[in-house]
Amino acid sequence: MVQWKGEISKEQSGRKAALLDQVSGLNVPNFFTLTKKDVNTLIGDARNPDQVLNSDISSDTFEEVRSAYKQIGMSSEVREASGKAKSLVGGQRDTGRVAIRISNDTKGIYDYKLNVGLSNLENALKKVIASYYEKNNSGAPAVIVQKMVEPGYTGAAINSYLGDYTLVETVEGLGISLEEGITSPELYLVSGEEVVDEKRPESQIKITRNPMNGQHRRKRTSSNSPSIPHSKITEMADELSENSYSIKFIYKRGTFYVVDVFKTENEYNPFQTSQPSLKGVRASSGEIKGCVGRDIRFSDQTHPPEDYSKTLISRKGGFTSTDAQKARKEGKPAIFNYTGNLNEGQNIEIESQSVEVTEEQHDRSSRGHEHRSADRSSKSSLSDTVSATEVLPIDGKHRAVHLSPPFGEGYSVGYEREDAIPSEGYLTNYSEIFAFNGEKAVIDARKLPDTGLKEAIEYIDAELKILLVEQPDQTLVGAAVRQRFDVIASQIDLESLEKAVLREEKKYIMDKLAD
């Protein structure tokens, strides 16, 4: 039998569910779990992803899950009421949709599903359970099924961040953009009953669910005011200060809803006295020392640990980004949401629990470039603005723009999943471009003649815009940056493409300052 919120056993329902069940003083949307025994019964002998996805699940157990799903909008009193009373009250409740995720006490990063309805409940459960067996070949996971709250903002509050502080990071809409490391969150640093520092990006990528077709919509947004009032942030931080856990939350109409509880490793010095800087977020601790470009990868977006040798410093992402979790697991130092200037060939040193450069030396080859950078940055701190255009590989192993299988993280074209780009949005000739009237567009510049390409980039209008290029042509990159393309992707020389994007974005900022 499933276990409901308020009745959770850690041994049967996993650590995440048990922690969620212990939250007090904050709202936790109703949830139930499929215990490890339930999952074992549900999938039978299946113990690898393909077996789980293709399994004929137990009809009796799934019927219990369906019944629990229909009751998730009810209170425990209504759920336990007599049949007639339950029918009368429960019939007035809107079950809505649910989120599904793994509950086990492991450091694995598993798949999860949002906005799951009754019609796709079985398929979503299979996919989440299958993701567990991508990293494990024995046992069975417990699974959390929680009532969805449509977010105004999504974020996290990290307890005991760099000492006795609470770090709060938020994005508008669903938290996917933060987890994927493709945008920069608003940051709030809380000490005691006060927000002692805050940092807001010029723009964010907002991801919402289209209620008509269930697909994700991406839109760039900007705001000059805090997403959450300071008084609400400090109230929430005060509730957390009495506990040893951190939370992920949804904020809607003045209320925080807790959707996940986690404990960070005891890797920060609790006796640190200086106030942490929000110039960046310490995604993973450890001394950073070496040469930018050789020992230290400095990039626009976040990357998994296998994509850099020692250290990553990224202009986007936050503490709860997936790549931050992976960096902590692998013990590789990382700083995300960094708004300082670093130059190729620059030798720097940053203390284990800091984001500030304490020592720096420059190779002779970089001195002239450094002086030019200093002149530019002296005009305005806006030259450090977080990059808005993501650089990705085409058909890469990790996060990428996928034109052919296997379809992994990132963007997929023509693949039947809720966040895929429809095949009609893949544009390979000018007639398709000038006739386009959709929400997601991919311009494949590799298949278009050079004449008219810049004009086509300037013409296209969509909520999600992606440009595929053969090589980092500065003219095309500049046009795409000015038209606020979300992604520029290539199969070769991504490092040069990242530099070209950064140059064009800084040029764009300086042009704005000169207006």
Side-chain angles (χ1 to χ4, degrees):
M1 293 290 291
V2 302
Q3 290 191 339
W4 284 94
K5 171 187 171 186
E7 306 168 352
I8 297 297
S9 158
K10 178 180 176 181
E11 182 179 343
Q12 298 177 54
S13 291
R15 182 171 182 258
K16 281 186 173 292
L19 285 171
L20 199 58
D21 203 35
Q22 294 172 10
V23 173
S24 61
L26 294 168
N27 289 282
V28 178
N30 199 19
F31 71 92
F32 65 86
T33 65
L34 280 72
T35 65
K36 298 172 186 178
K37 183 178 179 180
D38 291 333
V39 172
N40 209 22
T41 304
L42 192 71
I43 63 173
D45 295 330
R47 287 298 180 272
N48 69 53
D50 289 337
Q51 288 176 350
V52 173
L53 292 173
N54 296 311
S55 64
D56 294 323
I57 64 175
S58 166
S59 57
D60 290 341
T61 304
F62 186 65
E63 190 54 42
E64 289 182 18
V65 178
R66 284 170 55 90
S67 176
Y69 169 87
K70 293 176 181 179
Q71 299 176 51
I72 203 165
M74 304 178 188
S75 66
S76 59
E77 291 80 9
V78 172
R79 198 171 62 246
E80 295 167 3
S82 65
K84 185 175 181 180
K86 184 176 180 179
S87 177
L88 286 171
V89 179
Q92 301 173 24
R93 303 278 177 158
D94 177 18
T95 298
R97 291 176 174 268
V98 297
I100 303 176
R101 62 188 183 277
I102 296 293
S103 176
N104 280 39
D105 183 15
T106 66
K107 292 186 178 181
I109 299 173
Y110 304 113
D111 195 7
Y112 63 90
K113 295 297 174 185
L114 303 177
N115 293 298
V116 178
L118 188 58
S119 63
N120 61 334
L121 181 61
E122 178 180 340
N123 190 43
L125 276 171
K126 283 184 175 181
K127 288 182 177 179
V128 171
I129 295 169
S131 74
Y132 173 83
Y133 289 108
E134 290 176 0
K135 300 178 177 67
N136 304 275
N137 55 18
S138 63
V143 175
I144 299 172
V145 180
Q146 186 173 32
K147 183 175 175 60
M148 278 285 296
V149 176
E150 198 65 29
Y153 295 88
T154 304
I158 296 90
N159 215 347
S160 301
Y161 172 76
L162 296 183
D164 194 22
Y165 292 88
T166 300
L167 176 70
V168 179
E169 51 187 23
T170 70
V171 294
E172 191 173 3
L174 295 169
I176 297 171
S177 60
L178 174 58
E179 291 183 358
E180 292 182 350
I182 60 173
T183 198
S184 292
E186 290 186 22
L187 299 176
Y188 301 90
L189 190 67
V190 183
S191 178
E193 299 180 356
E194 182 183 2
V195 174
V196 295
D197 197 6
E198 62 185 291
K199 174 180 166 183
R200 291 194 296 275
E202 185 182 63
S203 66
Q204 286 186 335
I205 295 175
K206 175 184 177 181
I207 300 180
T208 57
R209 175 181 173 272
N210 187 331
M212 301 299 293
N213 56 22
Q215 292 187 353
H216 289 152
R217 299 181 294 190
R218 298 183 180 226
K219 182 180 181 181
R220 198 176 307 283
T221 62
S222 58
S223 175
N224 293 322
S225 58
S227 59
I228 304 174
H230 285 190
S231 59
K232 293 289 185 180
I233 291 173
T234 54
E235 286 176 14
M236 180 264 292
D238 184 55
E239 292 287 350
L240 289 181
S241 66
E242 299 180 5
N243 301 283
S244 58
Y245 53 71
S246 302
I247 64 169
K248 293 182 181 179
F249 61 77
I250 285 170
Y251 180 79
K252 185 175 183 180
R253 297 173 186 166
T255 301
F256 288 98
Y257 298 90
V258 180
V259 296
D260 193 13
V261 180
F262 60 98
K263 292 189 177 183
T264 56
E265 298 292 334
N266 186 25
E267 54 186 11
Y268 299 127
N269 180 6
F271 302 106
Q272 181 166 326
T273 57
S274 60
Q275 178 176 311
S277 167
L278 290 185
K279 187 175 184 178
V281 171
R282 253 299 177 166
S284 180
S285 67
E287 183 184 39
I288 296 174
K289 185 176 183 180
C291 178
V292 177
R294 184 187 66 215
D295 309 303
I296 301 164
R297 181 170 184 177
F298 183 41
S299 67
D300 174 55
Q301 73 254 8
T302 69
H303 296 275
E306 58 266 29
D307 285 1
Y308 52 93
S309 60
K310 294 182 179 179
T311 299
L312 175 67
I313 299 179
S314 167
R315 291 189 176 277
K316 293 180 181 176
F319 189 90
T320 52
S321 295
T322 299
D323 288 333
Q325 298 176 54
K326 291 179 178 179
R328 290 193 289 274
K329 180 182 177 183
E330 296 297 324
K332 285 190 173 183
I335 295 174
F336 290 176
N337 203 0
Y338 187 74
T339 49
N341 266 335
L342 296 175
N343 298 287
E344 192 85 10
Q346 182 179 355
N347 288 299
I348 66 170
E349 184 173 339
I350 302 175
E351 292 180 356
S352 176
Q353 299 167 24
S354 173
V355 298
E356 297 283 1
V357 175
T358 54
E359 292 184 22
E360 56 182 323
Q361 297 175 340
H362 305 276
D363 294 341
R364 291 181 180 180
S365 60
S366 67
R367 286 178 182 169
H369 178 76
E370 174 64 15
H371 288 314
R372 291 193 295 274
S373 297
D375 290 341
R376 286 197 299 270
S377 63
S378 65
K379 292 182 179 181
S380 172
S381 60
L382 283 177
S383 63
D384 290 338
T385 299
V386 174
S387 172
T389 301
E390 184 177 11
V391 174
L392 289 177
I394 299 172
D395 288 329
K397 292 182 180 179
H398 303 291
R399 181 170 173 77
V401 177
H402 301 280
L403 302 181
S404 58
F407 297 98
E409 293 182 30
Y411 303 88
S412 300
V413 177
Y415 183 54
E416 292 185 1
R417 69 182 195 188
E418 62 181 24
D419 60 345
I421 299 163
S423 56
E424 57 267 24
Y426 178 55
L427 310 173
T428 58
N429 62 61
Y430 288 125
S431 61
E432 291 175 345
I433 291 173
F434 292 108
F436 180 75
N437 190 30
E439 293 184 349
K440 300 179 180 181
V442 179
I443 295 179
D444 196 338
R446 304 171 302 170
K447 299 186 177 184
L448 290 162
D450 293 340
T451 304
L453 190 50
K454 181 173 178 288
E455 290 75 12
I457 291 172
E458 293 171 346
Y459 173 83
I460 201 74
D461 184 25
E463 288 193 10
L464 173 67
K465 296 185 289 187
I466 297 175
L467 178 66
L468 309 184
V469 298
E470 190 70 42
Q471 294 182 350
D473 181 280
Q474 201 70 41
T475 301
L476 296 186
V477 170
V481 166
R482 282 165 170 72
Q483 294 302 312
R484 293 182 173 269
F485 268 62
D486 299 272
V487 178
I488 303 177
S490 177
Q491 286 181 311
I492 57 175
D493 203 2
L494 288 182
E495 188 173 346
S496 294
L497 182 56
E498 282 187 349
K499 291 178 181 178
V501 168
L502 192 56
R503 277 197 301 270
E504 289 300 325
E505 288 185 328
K506 288 188 175 181
K507 187 189 298 182
Y508 179 64
I509 292 168
M510 299 310 294
D511 289 346
K512 286 288 186 182
L513 290 171
D515 290 344

